[in-house]
Amino acid sequence: MEPTIKDVAQRAKVSTATVSRVLNGQHWVAEQTKAAVLQAVQELNYKPNAVARSLMNAQTKTLAILFPNVSDMFSGTVLSGIEDAAHERGFSVIVCKTGGGHDRTLSYLQLLAEKRVDGIIFASEVLREEYSSFVQQVRIPLVVLSGESVQPEIPTIRCNDHQAAYAATSYLIGQGHEHIGMLYGGAHETPEQNGRLTGFHEAHRDHGLVVVPEHVLCLEGFAFKDGQAGGARLLHQAKGLTAIFASSDELALGVMSAAYARGIQVPSDLSVMGFDDLPLAEMSIPPLTTVRQPLYGMGRRAATMLLDHIQDIKKLEGHAVFPTTIIERKSVRRL
Amino acid sequence: MEPTIKDVAQRAKVSTATVSRVLNGQHWVAEQTKAAVLQAVQELNYKPNAVARSLMNAQTKTLAILFPNVSDMFSGTVLSGIEDAAHERGFSVIVCKTGGGHDRTLSYLQLLAEKRVDGIIFASEVLREEYSSFVQQVRIPLVVLSGESVQPEIPTIRCNDHQAAYAATSYLIGQGHEHIGMLYGGAHETPEQNGRLTGFHEAHRDHGLVVVPEHVLCLEGFAFKDGQAGGARLLHQAKGLTAIFASSDELALGVMSAAYARGIQVPSDLSVMGFDDLPLAEMSIPPLTTVRQPLYGMGRRAATMLLDHIQDIKKLEGHAVFPTTIIERKSVRRL
DNA sequence: CTGAAAGCGCTTACAG
DNA sequence: CTGAAAGCGCTTACAG
């Protein structure tokens, strides 16, 4: 069996209370006793049992993150930021893949509640009322990352989608494009809620351009396949397009793939612009011009907000909105 | 405060032992009492405290996975498999990003030991003697995934790299290529240990071809940047190459990017073949011909091996080697 | 500075 | 079928 604090105490000829004190290093302990304890710890190769400790101080030092999917680079980059921030403060992170499924999401929430995680980050799905009330009821701090929270009192980390799409569209228009197609994912929202779509429209309006309804397509998701299918449809039904703005990088790559399949050259025949700036944006040929969301930083921030709250440094509230930048690469041509 | 088992017992007018029994459902409990308990659970909205439970049965129902990096698709796909398998059996998974760093790896191992995780999956790094002896000493079941374990007694999940590279190279040769370059990542191993390299060589030998030393390049890592730099060097120093075999998909995309930058067309001027078959392999232009490793399945298997051991279904031992397949897409041209 | 004791929220023999 | 009691491995007032 693993040695316990009792074994250490015995060997060091002190009480378990003292061992605990030197290990947690708050109270004063005489140098001598301290040394004796440390030596016993060494000799026995004692590792404190964090679960017993958690039971006492009602803190598990673990955060959980819920993703619809975990194998795309979006999740990966966000997770990377979360993980770094958590690790710096001695926390672990549990990742949960909900598949966007209702039941699975709920079953995770139940599990996390039982495991008494100290905080939850809900990423990239709609935070249904049912979820948030569950979490509220078990009193676990919650932050929504880059998804729509229906309730304004729940802290949120995001970019200003509307503004970002406005800037991207204006950029395209500035490059001389007047016939721009749009592909957006988000079957869960109404068009008015979709900032990337409204930004697209407003930019047109402000530049005295009209959006042809057939030029914009609402897709199921944000994945490559969606972009491929959507791109093909758009290329077919909307002749005369000189550019397509896709609301994710994967979608944009899908469009490029669809164009490639029909012998349409990017950017000479068609300009393509993405959204996110995932690592794959610079791997594509031609490298993708896109809107950068600081995903790593957003992940860090989500974790930090939770951690600051847990460690009583700062109240959990407010909405962090991150700035977005246009990354010019090679997929957009100046007309 | 959250209701405890005591509150439930009181309200249902039974002992905590009984509550525990109905919640864990082993012993017989009279239907009546059972109903009363369940109702109390409902009314109080009681959620069992998993940490207290863990303390009793010395099981945390959590697995940990160590990756050097978490934002690439390799990790993402593997993680996806692990997560699914774990979730099906009621386990959670903690992910740790070591950055390949020695100290950070050790600090994670220490943390995981204290948290008493039930199993560890070590992915894609060299399992140093120091790590494995640490883990052995704290008696946490360990599986190495797709990395080199120095010690044969530690269970391992992998593909047969040598055989896969042999097949890939033979495929290229079969397509009429005789001047093939090779890019491999793995500064940590000797060339003889690198199966992908030895397979490349053996295929040449068996086909009566010689490998020109300048045609093969050892890179620091497996990332896009490495491939870009390596590809550029190779294209520069090795004239007359008709194909390049890269030991990862990212590396292959890097090569394609380097080729593109010099106006070399893939596959008409140069064929490129990758390794892994990550999602991005089919997103590239042209879509990448590559060697498929069943990463998702390998992740599942790693978790399942651990879980079977933990739940006493099967002893933890042996090495699972997964089959590899060549996925023909558009980046290789028949000469 | 240090120890005895209670308690965190469960589970599990042991009786009955 | 059910309860009283001990115990899992820690931490933390409370005394001294």
Side-chain angles (χ1 to χ4, degrees):
Chain A
M1 282 285 69
E2 305 288 297
T4 73
I5 199 174
K6 239 175 174 168
D7 301 316
V8 176
Q10 248 159 20
R11 178 173 267 255
K13 301 198 200 329
V14 297
S15 70
T16 61
T18 298
V19 175
S20 176
R21 284 184 196 111
V22 351
L23 258 26
N24 297 297
Q26 40 254 46
H27 288 254
W28 268 150
V29 178
E31 277 308 322
Q32 261 193 53
T33 18
K34 188 170 169 181
V37 168
L38 257 18
Q39 191 183 349
V41 166
Q42 274 294 322
E43 293 172 354
L44 294 175
N45 220 296
Y46 168 70
K47 314 249 182 291
N49 183 327
V51 359
R53 187 177 282 172
S54 290
L55 189 55
M56 276 306 305
N57 38 230
Q59 234 201 60
T60 52
K61 291 204 169 243
T62 111
L63 260 30
I65 162 87
L66 275 76
F67 286 118
N69 185 299
V70 87
S71 62
D72 55 45
M73 288 177 136
F74 182 93
S75 312
T77 309
V78 170
L79 178 55
S80 191
I82 293 173
E83 219 278 333
D84 281 345
H87 187 247
E88 281 167 18
R89 315 225 334 218
F91 276 64
S92 317
V93 3
I94 288 180
V95 348
C96 305
K97 189 182 102 174
T98 64
H102 182 63
D103 293 348
R104 185 152 171 174
T105 302
L106 238 31
S107 101
Y108 267 122
L109 256 18
Q110 176 77 28
L111 191 68
L112 296 175
E114 298 190 356
K115 287 217 170 166
R116 303 294 196 259
V117 300
D118 300 323
I120 294 180
I121 299 172
F122 195 90
S124 256
E125 288 176 60
V126 206
L127 181 72
R128 301 204 204 178
E129 152 69 26
E130 193 176 355
Y131 305 153
S132 63
S133 66
F134 181 95
V135 174
Q136 240 141 21
Q137 199 226 111
V138 296
R139 291 196 174 68
I140 303 182
L142 170 71
V143 155
V144 172
L145 193 150
S146 184
E148 296 299 325
S149 138
V150 194
Q151 301 155 80
E153 70 275 16
I154 296 179
T156 246
I157 312 279
R158 44 176 20 280
C159 285
N160 188 328
D161 281 343
H162 176 88
Q163 191 177 296
Y166 183 93
T169 309
S170 300
Y171 169 80
L172 251 16
I173 295 173
Q175 297 294 309
H177 295 275
E178 299 193 340
H179 305 283
I180 309 173
M182 161 90 177
L183 242 42
Y184 70 103
H188 307 297
E189 316 159 297
T190 65
E192 296 74 36
Q193 288 177 318
N194 191 303
R196 300 192 191 166
L197 184 59
T198 57
F200 179 76
H201 274 104
E202 189 177 325
H204 277 78
R205 211 174 307 125
D206 287 0
H207 289 271
L209 262 24
V210 295
V211 176
V212 184
E214 290 76 44
H215 289 185
V216 0
L217 236 50
C218 174
L219 275 19
E220 273 301 309
F222 292 91
F224 177 74
K225 297 256 174 250
D226 300 307
Q228 238 179 350
R233 262 175 64 203
L234 210 53
L235 258 18
H236 177 76
Q237 76 185 39
K239 304 293 182 195
L241 248 32
T242 62
I244 293 180
F245 174 40
S247 72
S248 87
D249 285 345
E250 278 205 33
L251 243 29
L253 292 205
V255 170
M256 282 172 48
S257 156
Y260 172 77
R262 337 188 127 219
I264 298 171
Q265 298 282 335
V266 174
S268 40
D269 304 331
L270 178 75
S271 291
V272 175
M273 188 154 179
F275 202 110
D276 283 341
D277 195 31
L278 301 184
L280 48 75
E282 64 173 343
M283 298 187 198
S284 81
I285 293 176
L288 189 67
T289 292
T290 190
V291 177
R292 174 173 167 72
Q293 292 199 74
L295 261 14
Y296 175 87
M298 291 165 73
R300 273 200 90 93
R301 181 62 162 284
T304 304
M305 279 179 67
L306 246 20
L307 260 12
D308 281 351
H309 170 79
I310 293 165
Q311 304 183 327
D312 270 324
I313 297 175
K314 210 168 141 222
K315 225 181 120 193
L316 185 62
E317 64 178 358
H319 304 271
V321 4
F322 277 68
T324 229
T325 10
I326 290 180
I327 306 291
E328 289 193 75
R329 281 194 275 248
K330 305 287 185 194
S331 63
V332 171
R333 171 179 163 224
R334 156 154 235 133
L335 249 38
Chain B
M1 281 286 69
E2 305 289 297
T4 74
I5 199 175
K6 239 176 174 166
D7 301 316
V8 176
Q10 248 160 19
R11 178 174 267 256
K13 300 197 202 325
V14 297
S15 71
T16 61
T18 299
V19 176
S20 176
R21 285 186 195 109
V22 350
L23 258 26
N24 296 298
Q26 40 255 43
H27 289 254
W28 269 150
V29 178
E31 277 307 323
Q32 261 192 53
T33 20
K34 187 170 169 180
V37 168
L38 257 17
Q39 192 183 347
V41 166
Q42 275 294 322
E43 293 172 354
L44 294 175
N45 221 296
Y46 168 69
K47 314 249 181 294
N49 184 326
V51 359
R53 187 177 282 173
S54 290
L55 189 56
M56 277 306 305
N57 39 231
Q59 234 202 60
T60 51
K61 292 205 169 242
T62 111
L63 259 31
I65 162 87
L66 275 75
F67 286 118
N69 185 298
V70 88
S71 62
D72 55 46
M73 288 177 136
F74 183 94
S75 312
T77 309
V78 170
L79 177 56
S80 192
I82 293 173
E83 219 279 333
D84 281 344
H87 186 247
E88 281 167 17
R89 320 238 314 230
F91 276 63
S92 317
V93 2
I94 288 180
V95 348
C96 306
K97 190 182 101 174
T98 65
H102 181 64
D103 293 346
R104 186 153 171 174
T105 302
L106 239 31
S107 102
Y108 267 122
L109 257 17
Q110 176 76 29
L111 191 67
L112 296 174
E114 297 191 357
K115 288 217 169 167
R116 303 296 197 256
V117 300
D118 301 323
I120 294 180
I121 299 172
F122 196 91
S124 255
E125 288 176 61
V126 205
L127 181 71
R128 301 205 204 176
E129 151 68 25
E130 193 177 354
Y131 304 154
S132 62
S133 65
F134 181 95
V135 174
Q136 239 140 22
Q137 200 227 110
V138 296
R139 291 196 174 67
I140 302 182
L142 171 70
V143 155
V144 172
L145 194 150
S146 183
E148 297 298 328
S149 138
V150 194
Q151 303 154 79
E153 70 276 15
I154 296 180
T156 247
I157 313 279
R158 44 177 19 282
C159 285
N160 188 328
D161 280 344
H162 176 88
Q163 192 177 296
Y166 183 94
T169 310
S170 301
Y171 169 80
L172 251 15
I173 295 173
Q175 297 293 310
H177 295 276
E178 300 192 340
H179 305 284
I180 309 174
M182 161 89 178
L183 242 42
Y184 70 102
H188 308 296
E189 316 160 296
T190 65
E192 296 74 35
Q193 288 177 317
N194 192 303
R196 301 193 190 164
L197 185 59
T198 58
F200 179 76
H201 275 105
E202 190 177 324
H204 277 77
R205 213 174 306 125
D206 286 0
H207 289 272
L209 261 26
V210 296
V211 175
V212 184
E214 290 77 44
H215 290 185
V216 0
L217 236 50
C218 174
L219 274 21
E220 273 300 309
F222 292 91
F224 178 72
K225 296 255 172 249
D226 300 307
Q228 237 178 351
R233 260 174 66 203
L234 210 53
L235 257 17
H236 177 75
Q237 77 186 38
K239 304 293 182 192
L241 249 32
T242 63
I244 293 180
F245 175 40
S247 71
S248 87
D249 286 345
E250 277 204 34
L251 243 28
L253 292 204
V255 170
M256 283 172 47
S257 156
Y260 172 77
R262 337 189 129 219
I264 297 171
Q265 298 281 335
V266 174
S268 40
D269 304 331
L270 178 75
S271 292
V272 175
M273 187 154 180
F275 201 110
D276 284 341
D277 195 32
L278 301 184
L280 49 76
E282 64 173 343
M283 298 187 198
S284 82
I285 294 177
L288 189 67
T289 291
T290 191
V291 176
R292 174 173 166 74
Q293 293 198 74
L295 261 13
Y296 176 88
M298 291 165 74
R300 273 201 90 92
R301 181 62 162 286
T304 304
M305 280 178 68
L306 246 19
L307 260 12
D308 281 351
H309 170 79
I310 292 165
Q311 304 183 327
D312 270 323
I313 298 176
K314 210 166 141 224
K315 225 181 121 195
L316 184 62
E317 63 179 358
H319 304 272
V321 2
F322 277 67
T324 230
T325 10
I326 289 179
I327 306 291
E328 289 193 75
R329 282 193 276 248
K330 306 286 186 194
S331 63
V332 172
R333 170 180 163 222
R334 155 154 237 134
L335 248 38

